[in-house]
Amino acid sequence: MNRVDAVWAVGRWTIQPLTKLAAPLRVYGKERVPMDGGIVLAFNHFSWLDPPAFGTACPRTIHYLAKSEIHSHFGLGQLIRAFGARSVRRGESDREAVRAMREIVREGHALGLFVEGTRQKTALPGEALPGAGMVALQEEVPVIPAAIYGSYEWRPWNHKPVSVAWGRPMAFSGIPRSGKGYRQASFQIQEEIHRLWRWLGDLHAAGPRPETATPP
């Protein structure tokens, strides 16, 4: 077990129970996450709750990318780096970030990306940027889309229910490794995340959420 996996093992006994206590979390379809090999995990993003919620929902160690401003925060920066997070300069062309992303999946790890690039200011998921599709095409690894629902309205004091749904692994054979191909793959990822998010919305609207259900 490497250092990051060891930190995650401790986190599963500490941070995960706190996350479940703070937000009534239900997870659907986590058996779809391959347990071996390099993969890209593609998420939507509403709240600071999302990283620990997806971490709790995922059976594997997630190597996140986080904006460089967070890494500069004393305490928080050290914490997320201990959990394997890499730095990225938001809104800039960052070749080092691209190299880090490719390296993570090439080494057989699970790369976690919030594909919209930042938290969404409305209650709707946004447009996916090309990063996830680009890494998947360049490294020939699958993308596992996942959506989170409820975290936009969640606050530490309101105990709003939050749910995560995992989609099926996505492959992009036949799509060229080019700017157009990256955008095409990213659009497909975006559509899957939005579809999972709508399914979760219907589940929440129908009443008490079931303990088990199969995402589309």
Side-chain angles (χ1 to χ4, degrees):
M1 180 183 292
N2 63 34
R3 180 182 59 83
V4 173
D5 287 332
V7 172
W8 272 78
V10 173
R12 295 190 190 281
W13 288 97
T14 54
I15 295 175
Q16 286 192 7
L18 291 174
T19 302
K20 291 178 179 178
L21 182 65
L25 182 65
R26 290 283 168 84
V27 180
Y28 305 103
K30 72 175 181 179
E31 68 280 355
R32 293 173 171 177
V33 179
M35 295 303 294
D36 304 297
I39 55 173
V40 178
L41 308 176
F43 309 135
N44 64 313
H45 194 15
F46 292 119
S47 164
W48 62 265
L49 176 71
D50 299 343
F54 279 118
T56 299
C58 185
R60 287 184 64 172
T61 295
I62 302 176
H63 293 252
Y64 282 115
L65 251 66
K67 59 186 180 180
S68 56
E69 300 96 299
I70 297 176
H71 281 266
S72 66
H73 288 186
F74 179 75
L76 181 58
Q78 287 89 336
L79 177 65
I80 64 174
R81 284 193 292 276
F83 276 85
R86 306 285 186 97
S87 177
V88 60
R89 293 193 298 269
R90 187 174 64 184
E92 300 179 20
S93 176
D94 190 346
R95 292 183 179 179
E96 287 302 317
V98 173
R99 188 177 295 115
M101 290 190 291
R102 296 185 63 179
E103 182 179 283
I104 287 168
V105 299
R106 195 179 301 139
E107 292 175 353
H109 301 308
L111 169 66
L113 293 179
F114 292 102
V115 296
E116 299 136 322
T118 188
R119 287 181 293 175
Q120 299 305 290
K121 305 303 182 184
T122 70
L124 301 173
E127 180 180 349
L129 301 178
M134 178 185 65
V135 174
L137 283 168
Q138 290 181 344
E139 296 299 325
E140 298 182 343
V141 296
V143 170
I144 318 300
I148 191 165
Y149 188 96
S151 64
Y152 180 79
E153 296 180 339
W154 177 89
R155 299 294 182 273
W157 55 84
N158 66 16
H159 216 55
K160 288 278 189 177
V162 176
S163 299
V164 170
W166 294 96
R168 300 182 187 280
M170 303 176 67
F172 302 102
S173 58
I175 295 180
R177 298 180 187 179
S178 64
K180 182 178 180 181
Y182 303 151
R183 289 190 295 273
Q184 182 180 347
S186 297
F187 180 76
Q188 292 181 20
I189 294 166
Q190 173 185 309
E191 289 294 288
E192 282 301 301
I193 292 174
H194 288 202
R195 189 163 69 103
L196 292 165
W197 180 84
R198 290 191 297 268
W199 178 80
L200 285 173
D202 291 341
L203 211 62
H204 278 234
R209 297 165 299 163
E211 291 188 11
T212 60
T214 303

